[in-house]
Amino acid sequence: MMREMTGAEMVIQALIDQGVEHIFGYPGGAVLPIYDAMFHKNQVQHVLVRHEQGAVHMAEGYARSSGKVGVVLVTSGPGATNAVTGLTDALLDSIPLVCITGQVPTHLIGSDAFQECDTVGITRPCTKHNYLVRDVNDLARVLHEAFYVAANGRPGPVVVDIPKDVQFARGTYVGPENISHKTYQPRLNGDPEKVRAAVELLAKAKRPVFYTGGGVINSGPEASRLLREFARLTGFPVTSTLMGLGAYPAADKQWLGMLGMHGTYEANMAMHDCDVMVCVGARFDDRITGRVDAFSPGSKKIHIDIDPSSINKNIKIDLPIIGDVKHVLSDMLTQWRAMKAEPDRKAIAGWWGQIDAWRARKSLSYVKSPDVIKPQYAIERLHNAVKDKDVYVTTEVGQHQMWAAQHFHFEEPNRWMTSGGLGTMGYGLPAAIGVQVAHPGSLVIDIAGEASIQMCLQELSTALQFNLPVKIFVLNNEYMGMVRQWQDLLHGGRYSHSYSESLPDFVKLAEAYGAVGMRCHRPGDLDAAIQEMISVDRPVLFDCLVDQKENCLPMIPSGKPHNEMILPDHPEALDEAIDEEGKMLV
């Protein structure tokens, strides 16, 4: 399809041809031609945000929950710079986004014009790829290419920076047919010899473990299905990173829980003591490995990843397989069956016996109280209330995020949206709005903290404007809880600026926006209050007052190996981790 139109019209036509249904944005001078073209061709629903950071997080939630590419439209200068946090978040968590930014006219670039910034230079380190389009006849191709780059291979954010004169100029529009990046052609199928070697290694394993990550979810529902099939065929245990939760069902007996800094004891110990580790779509980041030189020292490590740069970046790999997770898992299953491979049943039974002994430590246990709501209890009651519903969960960042990962159990992929790599406070509410846009009939809950929710709380206005009944479940302990916890561990309990002073009345604040405000502080009232929150067909801000000094355990102390954890039922481990001056021993 080729026809003449303005650059602004090309943007809207490209979105339509890419199947885009929703775009998250905020107008400004450098993108007004695009907004005018959108007005004349009302085929893409625009969601007006209150801050450009919120726009990108909304697009992240939309993309992560739907499997589609999220789309953002912001103006030049501060519009583009406000989007940088979200773009970096999407890069670290491999979320496919296309962010269209306005730019001053080409003849003014470099002159310090009003609302000018070097968007391409600023966003180069925090995007998968970016473009500055100076010729209107390149614009359509670049837009279609941006969608290809964002969605293929390891997903990520792509910026297309469009000067205002290019938006007004007329040129030839080309459709998306046969457009791809000339040099970027990610490898989908793993090397057959390495696939066979991996299967042979697994068949001989005595203490194997599947270590899974967000790449399983990014690869699509088929990848999660193949992971489950492979695990059940072999009987091997499965654990996951924060970003991989839901790829394997939490209710399954082979599930070890999340691993890493706040993962379960059994998951971290299995990773440490295994003899064969299959890393599927994860990247061995520092929150998983603990001290790198002590990470799983006796294991052979198989790493399946579509991103070659992730191989051997942090941990030495014995058998790398570059390819898309669903393709590689499919080939491994085919090879397993063709070889008529059988696991060592006796050895695997012994391995499960050891894992059960670790499980018996009950690393997620906590002491309930009849008088004060424990944060873990709040998450458990929330999960119990919604576990049979069509529910999606987002989080802010902090203790509440980790408690949600530990105590809210996910059975399916794409139901859990959280900021893993960047740890962005303020992510959860806009992400929940994006999820609700993608799934208008579903229950969407943002599990938040009283400090983190205030980072992007203005997006509640967007939820009200577009009738998006998101539920914000605030675990309010009146502290920046994870900061306070680290101050306990590292700084002798000196709570320097971590107390949440001058908190608003969240109930009144919700009502000021036109939402529903609720508060609960008694454990006995919690179930009824949660049911009321769920039943309201409007945005709800639920202020759940919880124990102020509860720590998020278990925990791998900073600088410690991943098999040395602070457990809730062994407080003496905390004393061993700290010297007499209150400093962490590393």
Side-chain angles (χ1 to χ4, degrees):
M1 178 178 66
M2 299 179 66
R3 61 179 187 271
E4 188 178 86
M5 59 180 73
T6 68
E9 291 169 337
M10 288 182 188
V11 172
I12 303 305
Q13 189 60 53
L15 296 180
I16 294 168
D17 289 347
Q18 288 290 338
V20 174
E21 298 175 17
H22 300 92
I23 183 170
F24 303 91
Y26 201 93
V31 285
L32 287 185
I34 298 174
Y35 273 88
D36 192 54
M38 190 186 307
F39 181 87
H40 289 288
K41 201 163 191 175
N42 191 22
Q43 290 178 254
V44 178
Q45 182 182 348
H46 179 271
V47 178
L48 178 66
V49 305
R50 301 310 188 254
H51 190 284
E52 290 88 353
Q53 178 182 341
V56 186
H57 294 328
M58 287 182 201
E60 286 187 274
Y62 185 93
R64 183 75 170 172
S65 65
S66 68
K68 300 175 183 178
V69 175
V71 184
V72 176
L73 176 60
V74 297
T75 194
S76 64
T81 58
N82 281 348
V84 164
T85 297
L87 292 169
T88 310
D89 192 273
L91 180 70
L92 287 175
D93 285 347
S94 305
I95 309 299
L97 301 181
V98 170
C99 180
I100 299 165
T101 60
Q103 184 55 273
V104 300
T106 52
H107 68 278
L108 289 178
I109 292 176
S111 71
D112 293 334
F114 177 67
Q115 290 194 332
E116 181 196 359
C117 72
D118 180 7
T119 300
V120 167
I122 290 168
T123 63
R124 185 173 288 116
C126 63
T127 55
K128 185 177 177 182
H129 196 52
N130 61 16
Y131 302 84
L132 171 62
V133 183
R134 292 177 175 268
D135 185 339
V136 69
N137 289 303
D138 293 332
L139 180 56
R141 174 189 58 79
V142 165
L143 287 164
H144 297 311
E145 200 174 277
F147 277 86
Y148 170 83
V149 172
N152 286 273
R154 179 179 177 178
V158 177
V159 163
V160 181
D161 197 33
I162 311 174
K164 194 168 184 178
D165 57 326
V166 174
Q167 298 171 40
F168 279 122
R170 298 190 70 84
T172 302
Y173 176 82
V174 295
E177 300 82 10
N178 301 317
I179 287 186
S180 63
H181 198 281
K182 292 179 181 178
T183 58
Y184 182 60
Q185 301 290 335
R187 181 173 182 170
L188 299 180
N189 294 304
D191 182 289
E193 290 304 312
K194 290 187 176 180
V195 168
R196 182 179 180 85
V199 169
E200 290 174 345
L201 197 56
L202 284 172
K204 297 174 184 175
K206 310 294 185 185
R207 302 183 308 280
V209 67
F210 282 108
Y211 154 38
T212 63
V216 181
I217 293 172
N218 287 341
S219 186
E222 179 67 6
S224 294
R225 187 194 67 77
L226 289 166
L227 171 65
R228 296 167 189 221
E229 184 179 348
F230 205 175
R232 286 162 185 160
L233 184 66
T234 59
F236 296 169
V238 183
T239 183
S240 166
T241 66
L242 180 73
M243 296 302 296
L245 295 177
Y248 195 82
D252 193 89
K253 64 182 180 180
Q254 291 172 238
W255 173 242
L256 303 182
M258 183 179 72
L259 77 156
M261 179 169 280
H262 293 286
T264 66
Y265 183 63
E266 55 268 28
N268 283 314
M269 291 302 293
M271 288 281 283
H272 184 269
D273 285 5
C274 68
D275 66 343
V276 177
M277 177 191 301
V278 191
C279 175
V280 188
R283 58 189 177 88
F284 294 95
D285 72 284
D286 62 291
R287 290 283 161 136
I288 299 302
T289 62
R291 204 177 77 215
V292 172
D293 63 353
F295 176 72
S296 194
S299 67
K300 294 288 186 182
K301 299 172 183 68
I302 303 166
H303 189 180
I304 303 168
D305 206 298
I306 200 166
D307 179 11
S309 72
S310 291
I311 305 292
N312 289 315
K313 183 166 67 175
N314 298 321
I315 296 292
K316 184 181 182 302
I317 302 303
D318 299 286
L319 184 53
I321 304 177
I322 297 171
D324 184 87
V325 165
K326 64 176 174 286
H327 289 80
V328 175
L329 286 179
S330 178
D331 289 346
M332 288 179 73
L333 272 164
T334 299
Q335 187 69 252
W336 183 278
R337 291 189 170 108
M339 293 169 57
K340 297 182 178 178
E342 284 290 334
D344 185 333
R345 303 288 181 188
K346 184 177 179 180
I348 301 302
W351 180 224
W352 275 111
Q354 174 61 74
I355 290 170
D356 287 339
W358 291 324
R359 276 178 170 165
R361 299 288 293 272
K362 298 187 183 301
S363 62
L364 298 183
S365 62
Y366 63 96
V367 179
K368 294 183 174 68
S369 168
D371 303 314
V372 63
I373 299 173
K374 293 288 187 175
Q376 303 96 319
Y377 179 75
I379 299 296
E380 287 178 353
R381 300 319 299 164
L382 178 64
H383 174 257
N384 187 69
V386 303
K387 63 184 178 181
D388 297 324
K389 298 183 183 296
D390 178 23
V391 63
Y392 294 81
V393 173
T394 71
T395 76
E396 307 293 336
V397 168
Q399 285 179 318
H400 63 273
Q401 176 191 28
M402 295 297 106
W403 281 316
Q406 291 171 341
H407 298 279
F408 199 107
H409 307 299
F410 296 91
E411 307 302 320
E412 298 295 335
N414 304 102
R415 298 285 174 155
W416 164 252
M417 276 56 65
T418 195
S419 174
L422 194 60
T424 306
M425 293 175 71
Y427 168 91
L429 174 55
I433 291 171
V435 174
Q436 193 78 79
V437 169
H439 307 277
S442 301
L443 174 62
V444 182
I445 303 171
D446 171 31
I447 298 175
E450 86 290 336
S452 194
I453 190 60
Q454 294 186 83
M455 291 280 186
C456 287
L457 186 55
Q458 71 277 354
E459 301 306 334
L460 190 55
S461 180
T462 296
L464 267 297
Q465 179 182 345
F466 291 91
N467 300 313
L468 301 167
V470 295
K471 315 300 185 224
I472 309 164
F473 191 74
V474 179
L475 298 184
N476 184 351
N477 59 11
E478 298 185 8
Y479 278 95
M480 300 173 207
M482 195 61 85
V483 174
R484 180 201 58 73
Q485 180 169 330
W486 279 68
Q487 287 173 334
D488 266 338
L489 297 176
L490 292 166
H491 302 285
R494 295 180 292 277
Y495 304 140
S496 180
H497 299 285
S498 58
Y499 181 65
S500 296
E501 298 188 52
S502 300
L503 280 176
D505 182 325
F506 285 115
V507 173
K508 290 181 179 178
L509 187 58
E511 291 170 350
Y513 274 103
V516 174
M518 298 177 60
R519 181 174 293 115
C520 183
H521 67 275
R522 294 188 184 91
D525 298 336
L526 188 56
D527 283 355
I530 289 173
Q531 288 298 333
E532 183 181 350
M533 177 188 76
I534 295 167
S535 68
V536 176
D537 191 27
R538 290 168 61 196
V540 177
L541 181 53
F542 187 116
D543 187 15
C544 185
L545 303 177
V546 300
D547 190 337
Q548 290 190 349
K549 294 295 183 77
E550 188 77 4
N551 281 334
C552 184
L553 299 176
M555 178 180 177
I556 302 171
S558 177
K560 287 287 185 177
H562 66 136
N563 65 324
E564 294 184 23
M565 302 186 71
I566 301 171
L567 300 179
D569 54 342
H570 292 280
E572 66 275 8
L574 179 60
D575 298 329
E576 293 170 4
I578 302 175
D579 69 11
E580 64 277 2
E581 295 180 355
K583 296 178 181 178
M584 184 68 66
L585 295 174
V586 296

